[in-house]
Amino acid sequence: MKRRDKAQHKFEICLGYPCFSLELSPNARTLTVFSLQRNKEVLGDLVTSATAARLKNGYETPPPGGGTPQHRKSFAAASPAESPVPACSSQQQPLSEVSKQNGSRAGWVLHTLLQLKAPGLLRERKSSTGRVLRRCAAGTDLVEWLMTIGVHSRQQATAMWQVLLEEGVISHVSRDQPFKDKFLLYRFWQDDENGASVAPTEADEAQAQAELKDALAYLTQKAPDAMMRLILRKPTHERTSDDLETIYEELLHIKALSHLSNSVKRELAAVIIFESHQKAGTVLFHQGDEGHSWYIILKGSVNVVIHGKGVVTTLQEGDDFGKLALINDAPRSATIVLRENNCHFLRVDKDNFNRILRDVEANTVRLKEHGRDVLVLEKISPATNAFSHFKYTVMAGTPQKMLEHLLETRLDGRIGQTREEGPSDPFLDDFLLTHIVFMPTHQLVTELARHYRIDSPSQDREFLVACKRRVVHFVHRWVSTIRHPVFEEPSAFAFLEELSGEVSDDNARWEMEDENAKMTQVMDELAQWSATQSVSQKWKLPPGGQPISAFGSDTQRDLRMRPQDDIIFRVYCADHTYCTLRFPLSSNAETVKVSAADKLGLKHDDLILVEVKSSGERVVFKDSDVSVPTALSLNGRIFVSPKEHLEALTCLPDQETPTEGSVGDLELFSTKELAYHMTLFDWSLFCAVHEYELIYHTFGRHHFQKITSNLDVFLRRFNEIQFWVVTEICLTSSVSRRVQLVRKFIKLAA
Ligand SMILES: Nc1ncnc2c1ncn2[C@@H]1O[C@@H]2COP(=O)(O)O[C@H]2[C@H]1O
């Protein structure tokens, strides 16, 4: 505070501490400069310690309770009338209640001293439109005035005024914008259009001078962050090389960027933007919205809210969010709501994200709900990514979250968008083909129904319709990939019927013609499948170990064995007597055992159903095993016997290896002809195998209670061929014929 009395050429210099009153003379001028220098040193120390504190963890906020004991003392000493809290505009965001109070106190001190020491600064001016503006000052003048009281640089002074602006103490006369060291007019909140400013009294002056040191210390402490925010708020094209360096240094301390190289951080410095929101409860974006930006939390916390689940997690300072929509080109997977007042973010917009970050983003993205990981995405290396345009694939997740992620990212809910018909995506197919292992069909349809019936008055129509569309697209894709096993599940059958009714009703309200057509197609397939259910085929397991084959000679028949198809087979007793049974393939070992025991006159107590292999090995069936006859090994036979007689079971004579070969028959056909017919037959067996049978086989048929007969027959076929080749070679005694035979087999295999 420097007051110049022209008549007496006197300077009065009050810094809150050493206060000098001098006559203007060369010596006095030297002394004045010396005093200002001292003041700068003290401020310099404060700046250094504030910066050090900030650099520890990026943006440091004041410790709880805020400020020094002196701050609290001076605030406590002020009466409510002396320390009113200004209203805040969106640019004027209090950092916390305590700092807001400290800020308004510092504002009061500067306002009081400005009026007393530089009375001409705050005065009435005319705007360019001729409007009279009450008691305002130009940004440049305010900066210079602060420098006269010892602030060492214009930049520092600008940042200190920005602190006051963010805390609502000063504001631009007409617009909501940051403080600038330019001819832009600002005024104190007490001086606004409605304010009744009262001239400071002598007591005010004494109080203000007593508090000046604390006020400057407070503003100095806050200045580095405010300066950073000022720089980050600048339009990116206005950033100077010094600005970029300052931002870059700041980015080095941000956890969410720690995996990125320094050159990427330098690129980010040019485009990263500061964004702040004042009120808890503010929605940053909604689930289902298009993704425009990626965010890092600098201060505060946000809730991640998902439709039908509520708040699934809270993200804190240092966390980031909003990446999923950008990396997957998908809608927002959650709504982000401010959990507290005055949150600060760094933001990178989509174009810049794609240009700078998309290819260097972290290899793993983890999503949490209620403290545990629910989805882990991993970057796909470009070399293995020929099938998909997605950069990330799912490595792990809860079934529910994986389905949610699939629906949101792999299936487009917008009208006319048929993402699933684009490049095929392994994750969607993998999910469809394997969900029975981790998400039984009844659970899947319950989840699908929940997603379809999602309803909320707060969500816009487009979001709700998009959810419905995605479910229908998923179901259509599911049915066309999995086919009949979907219909075989009673829960899925019922769900499809209900869904088709709902889609048809919704079509009337919500233009879902495409979806309605898809459901009609699904229902047609379901009807076709139902029609085939009344027809069952018969198969036989010939007694002599010949291949399993269709019963009868109908060449038009379906080569696929179905659960309701009957199979005719023999069950033997220990004494090699037998009965012939006919059961659906889906019957379990328990049923077969009881029926065989009845027919063979065995008592039911403690019986077992056993396979006796041609090697003499005995394998007991579990009561829950299904497709028992087709599961036999080559030349295996089914026996029923009391448990205690297991060791006494022996092979049938016809289970021994054959004694005569079929070389003569083989010579009747050319190798080409043989190869052609064998391949045709093998191909038809292969086509009859459903992908699910591989899963039942791998994870244990008894877990699923589903038949694996087509796979059994296909695997048996391999064994038959292998066994046949070896047998024929061994049974050919003449060396020259053996050589011919081996040649023929080699040609056949080629
Ligand atoms: N469990 C979660 N499920 C979905 N999104 C989450 C979850 N946890 C954090 N998020 C973040 O919330 C953001 C919402 O927008 P995006 O889908 O772009 O990216 C999302 C993630 O960054």
Side-chain angles (χ1 to χ4, degrees):
M1 288 39 63
K2 190 167 73 172
R3 187 167 62 192
R4 192 165 178 189
D5 183 327
K6 275 189 184 160
Q8 294 172 30
H9 298 280
K10 267 190 181 173
F11 276 91
E12 186 183 297
I13 306 158
C14 297
L15 300 164
Y17 51 97
C19 184
F20 304 95
S21 179
L22 307 165
E23 282 201 28
L24 187 59
S25 71
N27 288 345
R29 195 179 277 278
T30 314
L31 188 55
T32 307
V33 171
F34 169 74
S35 305
L36 283 172
Q37 190 58 41
R38 273 195 62 189
N39 198 29
K40 278 183 188 172
E41 278 164 17
V42 176
L43 284 173
D45 285 350
L46 289 167
V47 173
T48 318
S49 59
T51 312
R54 176 173 57 87
L55 288 183
K56 261 191 272 154
N57 61 353
Y59 279 82
E60 177 79 356
T61 50
T68 58
Q70 291 98 308
H71 282 113
R72 285 196 289 278
K73 192 165 142 252
S74 60
F75 170 65
S79 68
E82 289 168 329
S83 181
V85 178
C88 295
S89 77
S90 61
Q91 279 289 336
Q92 303 160 346
Q93 289 152 357
L95 299 176
S96 69
E97 280 309 307
V98 172
S99 68
K100 185 169 158 182
Q101 288 152 354
N102 286 337
S104 36
R105 198 66 204 153
W108 176 83
V109 170
L110 295 191
H111 185 236
T112 306
L113 295 176
L114 247 178
Q115 291 175 86
L116 293 166
K117 315 282 181 198
L121 261 187
L122 290 174
R123 61 171 188 272
E124 231 172 56
R125 296 165 199 257
K126 272 204 174 152
S127 74
S128 53
T129 58
R131 197 159 64 90
V132 177
L133 303 167
R134 287 189 77 220
R135 293 169 62 73
C136 49
T140 40
D141 291 343
L142 289 173
V143 166
E144 274 159 25
W145 180 72
L146 263 192
M147 291 179 72
T148 62
I149 60 168
V151 175
H152 64 282
S153 71
R154 298 194 79 91
Q155 209 186 14
Q156 171 76 1
T158 306
M160 288 164 89
W161 283 116
Q162 171 67 15
V163 173
L164 290 173
L165 184 135
E166 286 180 4
E167 302 200 9
V169 173
I170 62 165
S171 62
H172 184 261
V173 287
S174 58
R175 273 172 293 153
D176 195 12
Q177 61 159 306
F179 186 86
K180 288 195 178 143
D181 180 8
K182 292 201 170 151
F183 193 77
L184 293 173
L185 297 175
Y186 299 89
R187 68 157 73 95
F188 282 80
W189 73 274
Q190 297 96 324
D191 297 333
D192 74 6
E193 306 298 336
N194 311 316
S197 36
V198 181
T201 61
E202 274 184 19
D204 287 339
E205 183 179 359
Q207 179 72 30
Q209 285 196 348
E211 287 183 30
L212 179 62
K213 180 183 166 192
D214 284 349
L216 289 177
Y218 170 75
L219 294 177
T220 305
Q221 186 203 0
K222 294 282 169 196
D225 285 354
M227 197 181 318
M228 179 59 65
R229 288 191 289 272
L230 263 181
I231 296 172
L232 286 166
R233 275 188 168 120
K234 278 189 190 176
T236 50
H237 62 272
E238 283 182 19
R239 289 179 188 172
T240 63
S241 53
D242 280 353
D243 291 344
L244 294 183
E245 193 58 30
T246 314
I247 299 173
Y248 165 72
E249 276 172 22
E250 203 58 39
L251 298 187
L252 294 176
H253 305 283
I254 292 178
K255 183 179 98 184
L257 304 177
S258 57
H259 62 286
L260 299 173
S261 71
N262 288 352
S263 64
V264 168
K265 284 179 195 148
R266 279 199 188 279
E267 281 194 76
L268 280 179
V271 298
I272 209 157
I273 296 166
F274 179 81
E275 182 173 318
S276 61
H277 294 274
Q278 194 188 344
K279 290 244 177 314
T282 302
V283 174
L284 227 54
F285 53 73
H286 283 105
Q287 184 179 359
D289 286 354
E290 199 181 325
H292 295 297
S293 312
W294 173 56
Y295 295 83
I296 299 164
I297 307 176
L298 285 182
K299 185 167 110 53
S301 57
V302 298
N303 281 333
V304 178
V305 184
I306 295 184
H307 231 286
K309 291 186 178 175
V311 177
V312 294
T313 192
T314 296
L315 302 175
Q316 313 276 358
E317 187 173 318
D319 291 336
D320 67 297
F321 59 89
K323 195 186 295 182
L324 279 192
L326 306 187
I327 60 177
N328 292 313
D329 278 329
R332 294 294 193 193
S333 59
T335 298
I336 301 290
V337 186
L338 259 60
R339 200 167 146 263
E340 51 194 278
N341 283 342
N342 194 28
C343 293
H344 294 179
F345 304 96
L346 285 180
R347 198 185 80 210
V348 178
D349 290 338
K350 186 174 180 174
D351 290 347
N352 291 319
F353 183 92
N354 286 339
R355 184 171 58 81
I356 303 170
L357 292 173
R358 203 172 157 132
D359 293 331
V360 292
E361 254 309 317
N363 283 332
T364 311
V365 177
R366 280 172 193 276
L367 297 185
K368 286 187 188 297
E369 283 182 12
H370 309 296
R372 66 179 189 127
D373 283 347
V374 287
L375 196 69
V376 182
L377 303 177
E378 203 148 281
K379 199 187 259 176
I380 319 171
S381 87
T384 55
N385 198 14
F387 302 111
S388 161
H389 65 276
F390 292 98
K391 293 242 182 241
Y392 285 74
T393 194
V394 172
M395 291 310 290
T398 61
Q400 220 190 21
K401 191 69 184 176
M402 286 199 286
L403 176 65
E404 193 177 292
H405 181 70
L406 255 182
L407 289 171
E408 275 163 4
T409 61
R410 282 10 186 211
L411 299 157
D412 210 316
R414 288 169 293 169
I415 303 178
Q417 303 289 320
T418 47
R419 176 173 280 184
E420 89 266 38
E421 280 153 23
S424 86
D425 173 44
F427 174 48
L428 178 56
D429 288 337
D430 288 353
F431 185 93
L432 293 173
L433 288 167
T434 59
H435 75 82
I436 50 168
V437 178
F438 52 84
M439 189 181 212
T441 303
H442 66 89
Q443 240 179 50
L444 174 66
V445 295
T446 309
E447 281 299 309
L448 288 172
R450 188 174 71 77
H451 281 277
Y452 187 86
R453 290 170 196 153
I454 212 155
D455 203 5
S456 154
S458 64
Q459 278 294 353
D460 61 24
R461 170 186 172 279
E462 207 177 313
F463 173 79
L464 298 178
V465 179
C467 293
K468 292 181 189 298
R469 287 202 176 102
R470 288 194 200 112
V471 172
V472 176
H473 290 205
F474 179 94
V475 165
H476 183 254
R477 179 73 178 249
W478 183 36
V479 168
S480 43
T481 307
I482 305 304
R483 312 173 306 277
H484 57 90
V486 174
F487 306 134
E488 280 166 12
E489 280 293 328
S491 56
F493 192 104
F495 168 71
L496 293 176
E497 287 196 317
E498 275 174 36
L499 184 67
S500 86
E502 286 180 47
V503 172
S504 143
D505 291 348
D506 288 340
N507 182 27
R509 274 197 295 170
W510 280 333
E511 294 171 44
M512 289 174 53
E513 265 159 41
D514 186 27
E515 288 66 34
N516 201 25
K518 278 189 156 53
M519 278 317 291
T520 310
Q521 214 178 318
V522 167
M523 295 315 284
D524 286 349
E525 282 179 41
L526 192 146
Q528 275 173 26
W529 172 84
S530 296
T532 63
Q533 290 312 288
S534 50
V535 186
S536 85
Q537 303 192 102
K538 266 187 282 168
W539 303 87
K540 64 175 184 227
L541 178 65
Q546 301 94 327
I548 293 169
S549 55
F551 191 81
S553 57
D554 183 357
T555 49
Q556 294 302 305
R557 65 173 56 243
D558 181 359
L559 268 180
R560 190 170 59 85
M561 301 174 97
R562 296 168 307 169
Q564 74 271 23
D565 285 357
D566 282 343
I567 183 158
I568 298 164
F569 57 99
R570 283 183 185 177
V571 178
Y572 295 86
C573 266
D575 61 1
H576 293 181
T577 53
Y578 65 86
C579 66
T580 303
L581 297 180
R582 175 179 156 176
F583 269 106
L585 285 163
S586 57
S587 306
N588 62 21
E590 165 84 6
T591 316
V592 172
K593 184 174 72 181
V594 171
S595 174
D598 274 349
K599 285 207 166 186
L600 293 165
L602 297 172
K603 280 206 187 134
H604 287 191
D605 296 346
D606 226 12
L607 289 178
I608 46 174
L609 200 68
V610 190
E611 175 188 355
V612 178
K613 300 192 177 190
S614 55
S615 61
E617 189 191 344
R618 301 165 198 98
V619 181
V620 180
F621 286 104
K622 290 189 195 72
D623 280 350
S624 58
D625 280 345
V626 291
S627 46
V628 169
T630 56
L632 289 187
S633 62
L634 216 60
N635 266 332
R637 300 287 186 273
I638 308 173
F639 281 71
V640 63
S641 102
K643 203 171 181 179
E644 66 268 22
H645 293 169
L646 177 65
E647 298 303 319
L649 298 179
T650 55
C651 289
L652 300 170
D654 66 0
Q655 281 183 261
E656 304 295 330
T657 45
T659 48
E660 261 180 52
S662 54
V663 178
D665 297 345
L666 261 182
E667 281 168 353
L668 294 177
F669 303 98
S670 75
T671 314
K672 215 171 167 185
E673 222 175 332
L674 261 178
Y676 173 75
H677 286 286
M678 284 173 73
T679 309
L680 269 192
F681 184 61
D682 289 350
W683 179 246
S684 62
L685 292 184
F686 175 73
C687 291
V689 180
H690 191 276
E691 296 83 342
Y692 274 3
E693 292 188 49
L694 292 162
I695 290 181
Y696 305 147
H697 183 80
T698 311
F699 289 88
R701 286 176 294 160
H702 56 283
H703 286 310
F704 299 92
Q705 295 293 297
K706 299 283 183 193
I707 67 160
T708 53
S709 301
N710 296 293
L711 179 62
D712 294 342
V713 171
F714 186 61
L715 295 177
R716 241 179 112 97
R717 171 77 181 158
F718 270 98
N719 295 335
E720 274 164 13
I721 298 290
Q722 199 187 6
F723 189 67
W724 171 61
V725 170
V726 174
T727 312
E728 291 299 338
I729 293 172
C730 291
L731 290 177
T732 309
S733 46
S734 137
V735 176
S736 62
R737 294 195 79 191
R738 252 192 205 190
V739 170
Q740 264 183 359
L741 192 63
V742 171
R743 264 205 204 135
K744 187 154 189 141
F745 280 135
I746 292 174
K747 255 174 113 183
L748 200 57

